[in-house]
Amino acid sequence: MFHLPFPVRDANAGSGAKGLGDLPEWDLSDLYTSEDAPELKRDLDWLEQACASFATDYEGKLAALDAAGFLDCVMRNERISTIAGRIMSFAGLRYYQLTIDGDRAKFMSDMQEKITKFTTPLVFFTLELNRIEDAHLADLLAQNADLARYKPVFDRIRAMKPYQLSDEMEKFLHDLGVVGDAWEKLFDETIAGLEFEVDGEDLGIEGTLNLLTEQDRATRESAARELAEVFGKNVKTFARVHNTQAKEKEILDRWRGMPTAQTGRHLSNDVEPEVVEALRNAVVSAYPKLSHRYYALKAKWLGLDRMQVWDRNAPLPMETTKIVDWPSAEGIVMEAYGAFDPRMAEIAEPFFTKGWIDAGVKPGKAPGAFAHPTVTEVHPYVMLNYLGKPRDVMTLAHELGHGVHQVLAAGQGEMLSSTPLTLAETASVFGEMLTFRKMLEKATTQAERKVLLAGKVEDMINTVVRQIAFYDFECKLHAARRNGELTPEDINDLWMSVQAESLGPVFDFMDGYETFWAYIPHFIHSPFYVYAYAFGDGLVNALYAVFEENPDGFQEKYFDMLKAGGSKHHKELLAPFGLDATDPRFWDKGLSMISGMIDELEAMEG
């Protein structure tokens, strides 16, 4: 099934540009000029015909092809992926700009249904590929270097071989996919339509969550209580969506014979379960020296004996409420990128000048931030909800990192460009780290340095500790759902069981916080995605340590890693840096960078 990868939330008032400068909007015309553009109709017609002729030419015949014939077949399949991806990118990006617009929602659904219908006859390709004998496939690859380039794709497809169903069943499931997507849309539309009232002001979810980072404690409390109130009123809908999605996954996993609920994610990430388990265990055992220690320090700074959930992302007392306008944000990130390597700034520049970023907060716009790669023959698009907070500058650095990575990997072509999720966060987190180091370098006072360090530690805790707690929540949720329907209270209990453990003993949890699982989109769109953030952060911390220890030639190796896209396994990509994620000590290297920053903050207290 071809569908837009969900815009993952990384980190709604009116366009809210209070002194933020001119916020850029997307120009989607590089994809299509409009939903009735003749080029779009031409591509849909081409796609329908191309899928039908592909099935006629190759179904039942894959094993008999010679190397040249097999390469033609693969390249035709890749072309189909490109055109289908282009259409769905356009439909999806328009929808995320305004999710409450009925016409945009209908257009996206119509495109999804058409493309699913056209591509159902192609399901045979992966099934037949998996029936080819290992020796025969190896022989074909040995005969043709252009075909051998696709080996990593074949390896990933063939990893699914043990879990493959009959051809007829696979086609049925492919066709049925649009029904499962309806639950995701219900989630998106429910979230985008939520209305909150805080201190007499009407807000959407993004604007309300933003208040949790306000300096005024009473405002933070009002926002947290209003979030709890509104989530509570809608909790039955969210519980229904979670129950249905988890049950659908359980049925699919059972039919496929997947040993665990997480197996499918590990396979698509091209990562070994034991590597994820080592990461998870390293982080959980580090909770006391990371989050517990940091939040105890933060409570002291805030003058509190006990922390409440609305204090978790509070600014520090010595922090001035600073609004960073858009030109300044662009300048900070571009300077950091350029200082690392001028080529990096050069790749980032068109995002700002050619309508590749949609930055403003608007009613009905999807929450969060993402970089969508679209297709390799076009370019990525970045979405932000920019409110001018220093943290928003880091989000810009993060998403731009994704964008640079996607531009560099595009040279691999459609089937090899997309990076497994575990490595997809590398360039984004590295971009944040470069921006943070540049801002730290410019800090003129101890207080400014403290605020920056604390902010970075909080971001890392949100990326590592919080996401691993999310992962544990999902593991518990999917395990519990196997024993039957979960009430909202059941899900609430699972949520609270991971929150206290990860945040630490200094926290109290207000009534209503137990429903805060409801708004996290990853749980619905990409089950078990969340550990990729912790993987990416640990990886980047280890990479950055290598860069600091030995900067000579680092840039070349780094660019080569990004250009590789999905053409290499994480072991192969990290080898030039002397790193190995399968080594249990690898994760400690990354986590010790965070605890080192907390050491520095504690020393400032002296």
Side-chain angles (χ1 to χ4, degrees):
M1 256 220 354
F2 292 95
H3 60 124
L4 184 79
F6 172 64
V8 168
R9 178 196 172 88
D10 282 336
N12 280 333
S15 65
K18 297 175 199 144
L20 294 180
D22 234 354
L23 294 176
E25 293 199 345
W26 279 334
D27 173 3
L28 297 178
S29 62
D30 289 345
L31 292 164
Y32 298 103
T33 50
S34 70
E35 61 185 82
D36 41 26
E39 294 81 0
L40 178 60
K41 185 183 183 320
R42 176 202 68 202
D43 282 356
L44 280 165
D45 292 344
W46 179 89
L47 194 63
E48 184 172 22
Q49 183 276 322
C51 291
S53 64
F54 185 89
T56 305
D57 293 350
Y58 294 115
E59 190 161 13
K61 303 168 192 168
L62 231 55
L65 294 171
D66 62 13
F70 200 80
L71 178 63
D72 283 344
C73 169
V74 170
M75 289 176 78
R76 277 174 66 178
N77 183 59
E78 188 165 39
R79 187 72 200 140
I80 287 168
S81 291
T82 303
I83 298 299
R86 186 178 195 130
I87 294 166
M88 277 320 298
S89 296
F90 177 69
L93 292 172
R94 278 182 81 251
Y95 169 70
Y96 288 122
Q97 273 185 304
L98 194 58
T99 59
I100 51 179
D101 182 311
D103 290 341
R104 292 184 186 217
K106 175 180 160 46
F107 177 68
M108 185 166 88
S109 290
D110 289 350
M111 292 302 103
Q112 179 75 79
E113 284 179 22
K114 277 187 177 169
I115 286 174
T116 301
K117 186 179 159 202
F118 296 164
T119 55
T120 296
L122 270 60
V123 171
F124 79 87
F125 176 73
T126 53
L127 306 177
E128 286 191 32
L129 174 68
N130 283 350
R131 285 199 286 268
I132 294 174
E133 292 296 326
D134 290 347
H136 179 55
L137 184 60
D139 193 35
L140 290 175
L141 299 181
Q143 291 172 39
N144 190 309
D146 290 334
L147 182 63
R149 216 173 70 74
Y150 290 94
K151 184 179 183 296
V153 178
F154 302 150
D155 288 347
R156 281 204 281 277
I157 292 170
R158 285 166 81 82
M160 283 298 290
K161 194 173 174 176
Y163 313 110
Q164 200 165 285
L165 300 171
S166 70
D167 294 17
E168 193 175 28
M169 192 72 178
E170 291 288 357
K171 283 181 181 173
F172 169 73
L173 290 173
H174 178 89
D175 238 1
L176 198 66
V178 290
V179 180
D181 286 353
W183 289 95
E184 296 179 23
K185 278 205 207 80
L186 172 64
F187 173 85
D188 288 343
E189 285 162 16
T190 305
I191 284 284
L194 293 180
E195 293 174 354
F196 304 84
E197 191 189 318
V198 184
D199 300 337
E201 193 180 353
D202 293 330
L203 298 164
I205 188 160
E206 199 68 22
T208 313
L209 289 168
N210 186 54
L211 293 178
L212 297 176
T213 62
E214 281 295 313
Q215 189 68 262
D216 180 59
R217 192 170 192 229
T219 303
R220 296 198 306 270
E221 179 176 354
S222 300
R225 294 201 183 280
E226 178 66 0
L227 286 163
E229 173 91 5
V230 174
F231 293 156
K233 284 179 185 160
N234 291 273
V235 75
K236 285 185 174 169
T237 303
F238 291 122
R240 170 63 43 231
V241 173
H242 277 71
N243 268 292
T244 308
Q245 291 287 79
K247 184 62 184 173
E248 182 189 40
K249 185 171 184 352
E250 185 272 321
I251 293 166
L252 281 169
D253 287 350
R254 178 159 36 90
W255 275 76
R256 293 194 180 284
M258 295 263 183
T260 71
Q262 299 82 356
T263 301
R265 174 61 64 206
H266 299 336
L267 284 167
S268 72
N269 280 350
D270 198 16
V271 67
E272 302 74 14
E274 53 275 17
V275 171
V276 179
E277 195 56 21
L279 162 66
R280 183 254 166 217
N281 293 342
V283 173
V284 171
S285 61
Y287 284 170
K289 69 172 185 182
L290 299 180
S291 45
H292 298 187
R293 188 160 65 113
Y294 174 75
Y295 288 127
L297 197 54
K298 184 167 185 174
K300 205 159 87 176
W301 292 334
L302 294 172
L304 301 170
D305 291 328
R306 309 287 306 150
M307 292 264 276
Q308 258 297 349
V309 290
W310 56 78
D311 300 315
R312 185 171 65 83
N313 286 325
L316 303 186
M318 72 289 290
E319 200 168 323
T320 49
T321 306
K322 194 165 79 175
I323 293 296
V324 184
D325 64 23
W326 182 254
S328 304
E330 179 182 341
I332 292 164
V333 176
M334 288 293 279
E335 186 189 350
Y337 275 30
F340 173 70
D341 192 301
R343 289 171 295 176
M344 201 147 143
E346 208 177 294
I347 296 166
E349 204 242 350
F351 283 85
F352 294 99
T353 56
K354 293 190 173 174
W356 300 2
I357 300 177
D358 197 299
V361 176
K362 292 165 246 179
K365 181 176 169 179
F370 64 85
H372 181 47
T374 75
V375 286
T376 53
E377 62 182 27
V378 187
H379 55 76
Y381 282 93
V382 163
M383 192 190 89
L384 305 168
N385 277 276
Y386 189 82
L387 290 157
K389 295 268 171 96
R391 199 158 265 156
D392 292 343
V393 180
M394 300 308 278
T395 303
L396 169 62
H398 181 103
E399 299 308 337
L400 210 54
H402 278 306
V404 167
H405 193 174
Q406 290 157 359
V407 168
L408 285 166
Q412 295 288 345
E414 203 60 36
M415 287 169 78
L416 280 161
S417 62
S418 66
T419 313
L421 288 181
T422 40
L423 291 163
E425 292 301 326
T426 308
S428 51
V429 180
F430 198 83
E432 273 189 78
M433 182 63 88
L434 292 174
T435 305
F436 162 69
R437 294 287 177 186
K438 180 55 71 181
M439 289 165 87
L440 199 61
E441 195 183 291
K442 294 187 165 196
T444 51
T445 64
Q446 180 85 328
E448 205 181 333
R449 186 177 173 84
K450 185 174 181 175
V451 167
L452 281 167
L453 264 176
K456 186 62 181 164
V457 168
E458 288 197 20
D459 284 346
M460 286 170 151
I461 287 173
N462 282 334
T463 305
V464 177
V465 170
R466 186 166 161 81
Q467 303 302 330
I468 289 298
F470 282 179
Y471 178 65
D472 278 355
F473 166 72
E474 285 189 276
C475 292
K476 289 181 175 192
L477 179 96
H478 284 265
R481 182 64 183 90
R482 291 184 173 206
N483 300 320
E485 175 91 7
L486 300 172
T487 65
E489 291 71 29
D490 293 334
I491 304 178
N492 292 348
D493 289 345
L494 296 175
W495 173 253
M496 292 310 293
S497 74
V498 301
Q499 288 301 303
E501 183 194 13
S502 64
L503 292 175
V506 77
F507 274 93
D508 290 329
F509 297 95
M510 67 167 188
D511 286 346
Y513 181 68
E514 64 276 5
T515 60
F516 273 47
W517 52 268
Y519 77 93
I520 313 289
H522 309 71
F523 300 156
I524 297 305
H525 287 277
S526 319
F528 306 111
Y529 178 102
V530 289
Y531 74 73
Y533 286 121
F535 196 109
D537 204 275
L539 184 66
V540 165
N541 288 345
L543 262 182
Y544 202 85
V546 171
F547 173 50
E548 285 189 315
E549 286 159 22
N550 190 7
D552 290 348
F554 182 90
Q555 281 85 340
E556 284 311 318
K557 286 190 271 192
Y558 181 73
F559 275 91
D560 285 345
M561 178 173 72
L562 300 190
K563 283 177 190 164
S567 68
K568 291 179 180 175
H569 185 262
H570 63 79
K571 212 169 166 71
E572 208 182 335
L573 283 172
L574 291 176
F577 302 97
L579 297 171
D580 180 2
T582 60
D583 178 350
R585 288 166 306 179
F586 171 80
W587 299 114
D588 295 330
K589 193 179 177 83
L591 295 172
S592 64
M593 182 182 274
I594 310 177
S595 60
M597 287 184 181
I598 302 172
D599 291 343
E600 193 176 337
L601 286 167
E602 281 183 339
M604 287 181 182
E605 293 305 288

